[in-house]
Amino acid sequence: MNQTTSDAGMAKAQGRCSRSLVAALVTLATGAAAADMSMLDDGNTRATSTVIAFGVRTEASLETRDDVDVFRIELQGRAAVAVQSGGTTDTMAVLSDSEGGTIAANDDASATSLNFRIVETLEGGVYYLTVRGSGGATGAYRVLARIQRGGDDHGDTVGASTRITAMETAGSLRPAGDIDAFRIDVNAETAIVLRTKGPTDTVGRLQDSAGNVLAEADTGGDRGNFVIDTNLMPGIYYLMVSAKDGATGGYSVEAEYDGHLVCANPPVRVPDSGAAEMPGDGTDSGSSGEDDEVVAEPVYERFPPIEVGIGTITLAFQTTTGCEPVNELNLLSTIYTVLRAVWQRRADESDDWSDIDGTETTLELCAYSPTEPGQYRLIADVEENGTLKHYASNILTVE
């Protein structure tokens, strides 16, 4: 199908500035891949809380001993939620429900970490994360939240859609017939380009909040990827992504906004009533958005310091048969933190990689002993000096 665009409100934008100013990539990884997002320190109550964008590192700071930062977590359905801090500041956090009732709290994620980590399965709704310095600690820190719904990386309806806000997010179309729904919040008139990348032949359909199809395409990019290039007025839109002819596989989606019209895409706050609230210019320092933790992979580049064997793992020339912690690890003046690692298997080079159940870890890399023939590798989403990287070990072949 060729790209088609409805006439109403969809005239092409003129005079674009750099399209690289705002981009959202959807690429499969263990979780949506994380990107940097800066934030002012103005959310210290539930009423002024900053919405956490899933899969996006949110920068924050505790300015004084009694400073408190409050973040808002929005779930459109039941989900396993993992939220953690990063950095050198000793932080602690409390997760509460919409009425302020405590659900969980954590100070130190491990005996060697001053960062908090909370993992809970929550029903759809609004939740709040309150962060303060442990023992009155002050300084900069980061918050990262990830979710995964029942094995599907993204919902297949607008009600269960994932909001596109991250610089890098991911998708996987499995099983055959799977649809991934993404929500796009537009706060000012903007030109937008939506495109997929990767090996899967994808089809895209852009619709408004009333369900009217504004544009759809299955061509325009490489290897069967689609491109939708159009103009949007303020409002809420949905991009529905599916695989052509019942195919399956991972893919990436890029959403680029026109910097001439919208050089900074302000967030939409969604109060408990569910009605969208459009902030005025410069009044909101946070960012709303939901970027699910996912199950297909982006492009993982070979990382020579990681070498795996049967039941062993070598990291920077240190070999172990267990797990090697990687949390603020300094290697040759580069700081690494493993946000997620998992072992993968494929029968041969023609097959897709699949995660191996029970091998996923955070803040560490662990050895694994394969029990059946095939090819194996260890992949990791790694924060490297504050930037997300996707790394892979060597490929281990078991006859």
Side-chain angles (χ1 to χ4, degrees), residues 92-314:
M92 59 186 300
V94 175
L95 178 67
S96 59
D97 59 25
S98 60
E99 301 301 319
T102 298
I103 297 173
N106 183 255
D107 189 348
D108 298 327
S110 68
T112 60
S113 174
L114 298 179
N115 292 295
F116 67 80
R117 178 173 170 80
I118 295 175
V119 181
E120 292 287 333
T121 297
L122 305 172
E123 300 298 329
V126 175
Y127 300 86
Y128 295 94
L129 182 75
T130 302
V131 179
R132 54 173 47 89
S134 183
T138 60
Y141 67 96
R142 302 179 297 276
V143 174
L144 176 65
R146 298 177 180 275
I147 71 174
Q148 185 173 16
R149 293 190 192 87
D152 190 10
D153 57 347
H154 302 290
D156 56 5
T157 65
V158 296
S161 58
T162 296
R163 277 191 248 181
I164 296 179
T165 58
M167 290 298 293
E168 198 171 334
T169 312
S172 174
L173 295 167
R174 291 185 177 87
D178 186 23
I179 297 174
D180 286 349
F182 299 95
R183 172 172 164 164
I184 304 168
D185 292 339
V186 176
N187 304 281
E189 182 182 358
T190 182
I192 189 170
V193 178
L194 301 166
R195 64 169 66 90
T196 49
K197 300 178 181 179
T200 305
D201 190 348
T202 51
V203 178
R205 184 177 76 249
L206 179 66
Q207 63 189 55
D208 62 21
S209 57
N212 299 310
V213 176
L214 305 178
E216 49 188 354
D218 70 0
T219 61
D222 297 333
R223 295 189 292 176
N225 293 292
F226 69 79
V227 176
I228 294 176
D229 188 350
T230 190
N231 190 54
L232 297 177
M233 301 300 291
I236 296 174
Y237 301 87
Y238 297 93
L239 176 67
M240 316 300 285
V241 179
S242 58
K244 191 174 182 179
D245 300 328
T248 61
Y251 66 95
S252 74
V253 167
E254 181 179 74
E256 276 184 70
Y257 300 90
D258 186 335
H260 177 71
L261 297 173
V262 137
C263 283
N265 192 29
V268 172
R269 289 196 182 277
V270 181
D272 293 351
S273 65
E277 227 176 70
M278 298 296 182
D281 292 341
T283 62
D284 194 335
S285 66
S287 176
S288 68
E290 183 176 86
D291 192 354
D292 277 354
E293 190 166 351
V294 293
V295 290
E297 69 269 38
V299 176
Y300 283 84
E301 61 181 291
R302 175 75 177 94
F303 190 53
I306 302 176
E307 290 282 343
V308 298
I310 297 178
T312 66
I313 181 170
T314 299

Side-chain angles (χ1 to χ4, degrees), residues 314-378:
T314 299
L315 176 61
F317 309 108
Q318 181 171 339
T319 301
T320 180
T321 58
C323 297
E324 189 68 31
V326 185
N327 183 18
E328 306 287 342
L329 177 65
N330 189 328
L331 291 178
L332 300 177
S333 300
T334 300
I335 306 300
Y336 298 92
T337 295
V338 171
L339 304 177
R340 174 186 180 267
V342 67
W343 276 84
Q344 294 187 324
R345 176 188 179 275
R346 65 184 181 187
D348 54 51
E349 292 182 2
S350 64
D351 290 337
D352 291 335
W353 289 102
S354 298
D355 293 355
I356 299 174
D357 291 342
T359 65
E360 182 176 333
T361 59
T362 59
L363 305 180
E364 61 184 1
L365 299 174
C366 294
Y368 177 71
S369 296
T371 58
E372 57 182 313
Q375 293 186 333
Y376 295 83
R377 70 174 182 176
L378 177 64

